[in-house]
Amino acid sequence: MTSAQILLSRELGQHLSGMENLFFQIEHPSRLMTICSLWEFQRQLDMTLVTKALADLCSQHPRFALVPKYGTPLETPIWCRPPQNWSYKDHIVVHTLAKPTLACLQDYMANQYAIPFAPNQPLWQLHYITGLAGGRTAILWKAHHSLSDGIGCMLSVFSSTTSFNHEAQLNQFHQRLQQSRQKAAAAQERQKAAAAATAASTQDHGDHQSIFMVALGGLWSFFVFLVSWVVSVGEWMRRVADQVIHDLSDVAVLVMPLLFRRTGAHALMYDGAQPTSKRIAWTPDMSFSDVRAIQHAFSLRKPPHEATGWERVWRSFARRVSSPRHRQHCTLNDIMVLVFCRAFRKYLQQYHADTSLLSKVRIVVPLSFRHPLDASMANKVTGDMVEIDITDNCSNHAFLHFIHRRMMTIKRSILPYIVYHVITQRILRYFPFLVPPRFWQNMYTNLPHAIITNISGPQERITFAGEPIERFCALPPQPGKSSISVGLVSYGGDKINVAMLTDDHPEYKDLAHRLCDLFYSEFNALVAEASKIS
């Protein structure tokens, strides 16, 4: 028995997990649970190499050759063989664009995204697109979320069909982890050596110092210890308060629709049914070095040129009494959420007549339960929703610090852990009928304005069918009516791309394109501000 047959036998007949089955039960014809990704190439691809890559994909990852069937109210579906005449070549679609324009490519991608998968076929497709300007080509991947989460799909497709070497990536991860540990150990050794030298110097000169100076030094050390303890306790109490408020608001979000059977007003909500047609757009590639510049410039709560004299004195003292882990360091997610909120606010001000609902934006943030070395095909993800006030015209420093605090409460919350491990993977695995009916689902899915997912792509240039991938973008499923699907991808070492998917509704015409343009301009404005501070 070959390794591919062993893998197939392990998957065949296995029940879908609670999370995988949940993606089937909450799927709506107007908001499909589809993950899609677009790869662009400079030249045409050899179709012989493409079909060989797909054969390797299906043999190494059997879920691409299986179909979920036979679900009951008390059991989730099981992975079954496809029809006898099935071939992986049936999932290849070749299309030539009518016009060699970016708009035509985005329209084709949006049209294909809105088409559901055949229920008796494996839940994926590959579209080979030609007719782009300059002889370029593209590959559009589509896969149902029940196959795996975005990280699992990306790693499986990359490791099976491209030059991406997952083992080399793991070795690099181990090396970076070992280097960070060695740096931390070296820093601790330097601190111990400095403390020992200070103690020795104090002992050598102790006889020459007066009793008053020795007592004054002891009082100063006690004062520094006391202030550092007060700062640590205050920081801990603030975090606890933020966490309690966030968890209670999450519980309120879950309970309020059940009690009142309605959701709150939505800044992008419209009357009528949600259309099945979508709009897709993406930004030009942005530089990760610009993100690092923003992180360096906005690491403090207030820039030095805005701080008062007393704030400078306190900051100098606080650096002595606080540990490095208490200092604020914004992440890539924090920066992108800030840019999205600025772009969303500007869109409502420029294109939306009614600004009465311009107050808060609710964003779903996916949370992965994967180990960094886990590359399996599985859904190990859940999400939490963060509510951000966008009415205050505060500085980017203050806004970024506020977003960082809100994002940290999501990471520390125990509710996503309970939802994933207890509710979906345990209760809904054995009692699928407990999933709320459609009208209750709509109350929850219509709450968020957007979902923002962050996927770390290959950091080295990789090839597919012998051709290097020049551009890479990805999109998660749309959470609800009128909501925005935002896919953030970092790849190629220094490239970042943001793609957006929205409803194709006349009340919000070209929403995806306008938001992408505003997002790109707001990001560049933030980079310019960071360069002035630095």
Side-chain angles (χ1 to χ4, degrees):
M1 181 178 290
T2 64
S3 59
Q5 291 173 331
I6 294 174
L7 291 173
L8 184 61
S9 64
R10 289 178 180 176
E11 292 280 355
L12 190 63
Q14 295 294 320
H15 284 273
L16 274 70
S17 68
M19 181 61 72
E20 292 162 354
N21 184 60
L22 181 64
F23 287 125
F24 274 115
Q25 293 185 286
I26 66 175
E27 187 172 46
H28 189 276
S30 298
R31 48 179 183 273
L32 302 176
M33 291 291 106
T34 300
I35 304 172
C36 65
S37 176
L38 185 77
W39 305 351
E40 289 190 23
F41 306 89
Q42 288 288 351
R43 293 185 293 271
Q44 292 191 0
L45 304 180
D46 186 347
M47 291 304 297
T48 303
L49 298 178
V50 172
T51 54
K52 182 181 182 302
L54 295 183
D56 295 339
L57 176 67
C58 294
S59 63
Q60 296 181 26
H61 300 280
R63 288 195 178 187
F64 288 94
L66 297 175
V67 183
K69 294 182 179 179
Y70 310 120
T72 67
L74 294 177
E75 285 288 351
T76 60
I78 60 176
W79 293 106
C80 303
R81 294 185 184 274
Q84 191 172 5
N85 60 349
W86 174 83
S87 171
Y88 65 89
K89 296 181 181 179
D90 300 335
H91 295 253
I92 302 176
V93 179
V94 179
H95 176 78
T96 301
L97 298 178
K99 297 180 181 180
T101 60
L102 178 61
C104 191
L105 174 63
Q106 293 173 343
D107 289 342
Y108 177 78
M109 185 175 177
N111 293 334
Q112 294 302 315
Y113 182 91
I115 300 176
F117 294 102
N120 62 339
Q121 298 286 331
L123 305 175
W124 65 275
Q125 275 187 347
L126 180 146
H127 294 251
Y128 177 52
I129 307 170
T130 61
L132 279 72
R136 294 181 297 112
T137 58
I139 288 288
L140 169 62
W141 286 92
K142 284 177 53 180
H144 198 277
H145 212 320
S146 62
L147 293 179
S148 177
D149 52 32
I151 298 176
C153 280
M154 183 199 70
L155 290 177
S156 62
V157 171
F158 275 139
S159 61
S160 304
T161 64
T162 70
S163 61
F164 176 73
N165 190 338
H166 185 57
E167 293 184 358
Q169 294 288 328
L170 295 182
N171 292 333
Q172 292 179 4
F173 175 81
H174 281 295
Q175 292 176 1
R176 291 195 300 267
L177 184 62
Q178 188 68 21
Q179 290 175 359
S180 63
R181 289 176 176 174
Q182 291 176 355
K183 289 181 180 179
Q188 290 181 356
E189 291 297 330
R190 287 194 298 268
Q191 291 178 357
K192 291 180 181 179
T198 302
S201 176
T202 303
Q203 184 176 2
D204 292 340
H205 298 281
D207 297 336
H208 304 284
Q209 295 179 350
S210 64
I211 298 178
F212 174 76
M213 294 299 296
V214 173
L216 185 61
L219 289 175
W220 172 251
S221 300
F222 176 76
F223 175 73
V224 171
F225 167 77
L226 182 63
V227 172
S228 63
W229 182 82
V230 171
V231 170
S232 299
V233 171
E235 182 71 14
W236 178 81
M237 293 179 65
R238 183 190 62 78
R239 290 184 180 182
V240 170
D242 289 346
Q243 199 64 52
V244 170
I245 294 173
H246 171 76
D247 291 346
L248 289 178
S249 64
D250 274 358
V251 173
V253 167
L254 294 175
V255 173
M256 295 299 285
L258 297 177
L259 296 178
F260 299 99
R261 296 196 176 185
R262 64 182 181 85
T263 58
H266 198 303
L268 297 178
M269 191 58 67
Y270 48 81
D271 297 331
Q274 182 180 7
T276 57
S277 58
K278 307 297 175 183
R279 301 290 293 175
I280 290 178
W282 51 81
T283 65
D285 285 342
M286 296 167 283
S287 174
F288 205 93
S289 58
D290 290 337
V291 173
R292 296 190 187 97
I294 295 172
Q295 290 174 325
H296 175 73
F298 291 79
S299 59
L300 297 175
R301 297 188 179 183
K302 185 178 290 188
H305 65 274
E306 293 183 6
T308 63
W310 285 109
E311 287 175 335
R312 294 194 187 103
V313 173
W314 168 250
R315 182 176 296 168
S316 176
F317 178 76
R319 281 197 294 266
R320 297 185 178 183
V321 301
S322 63
S323 60
R325 62 188 179 91
H326 287 156
R327 298 171 189 171
Q328 301 296 328
H329 298 283
C330 57
T331 65
L332 174 63
N333 276 354
D334 301 337
I335 295 172
M336 293 305 167
V337 170
L338 180 146
V339 176
F340 176 80
C341 290
R342 297 295 195 199
F344 184 76
R345 174 185 171 87
K346 185 167 290 187
Y347 169 81
L348 294 178
Q349 291 175 338
Q350 292 181 1
Y351 301 103
H352 197 30
D354 183 13
T355 58
S356 60
L357 299 178
L358 181 61
S359 58
K360 296 182 179 180
V361 57
R362 295 184 290 270
I363 300 174
V364 174
V365 180
L367 299 172
S368 177
F369 290 99
R370 284 180 178 269
H371 189 273
L373 307 181
D374 186 0
S376 62
M377 285 281 292
N379 275 281
K380 301 181 180 180
V381 65
T382 184
D384 201 351
M385 188 165 63
V386 58
E387 191 173 66
I388 300 176
D389 188 358
I390 59 175
T391 57
D392 188 12
N393 292 319
C394 58
S395 65
N396 285 325
H397 278 87
F399 196 29
L400 189 58
H401 174 63
F402 170 76
I403 291 176
H404 179 76
R405 287 179 54 184
R406 300 290 289 132
M407 298 294 282
M408 290 305 297
T409 57
I410 290 179
K411 296 177 181 179
R412 291 191 296 261
S413 178
I414 195 175
L415 292 180
Y417 181 90
I418 295 175
V419 169
Y420 177 77
H421 288 283
V422 178
I423 297 179
T424 58
Q425 296 293 81
R426 296 292 186 272
I427 298 177
L428 295 183
R429 161 63 179 87
Y430 299 102
F431 306 100
F433 67 91
L434 293 179
V435 174
R438 181 69 69 186
F439 72 93
W440 270 354
Q441 293 179 24
N442 293 337
M443 295 179 188
Y444 294 111
T445 58
N446 292 342
L447 280 173
H449 296 83
I451 178 173
I452 299 180
T453 181
N454 180 9
I455 296 179
S456 178
Q459 298 306 305
E460 297 179 356
R461 198 179 192 188
I462 61 174
T463 60
F464 173 75
E467 291 295 329
I469 300 176
E470 300 294 335
R471 180 188 291 272
F472 177 67
C473 65
L475 278 169
Q478 190 180 19
K481 178 181 176 181
S482 74
S483 59
I484 306 164
S485 174
V486 182
L488 167 65
V489 177
S490 56
Y491 69 102
D494 194 50
K495 295 181 180 180
I496 299 176
N497 181 272
V498 175
M500 298 190 190
L501 178 143
T502 62
D503 290 336
D504 185 13
H505 194 273
E507 191 170 342
Y508 299 96
K509 188 177 181 180
D510 291 335
L511 173 60
H513 295 83
R514 289 172 176 174
L515 273 178
C516 283
D517 292 341
L518 291 172
F519 188 98
Y520 189 65
S521 63
E522 288 293 323
F523 178 80
N524 289 332
L526 192 63
V527 172
E529 182 179 348
S531 62
K532 292 180 181 179
I533 296 175
S534 300

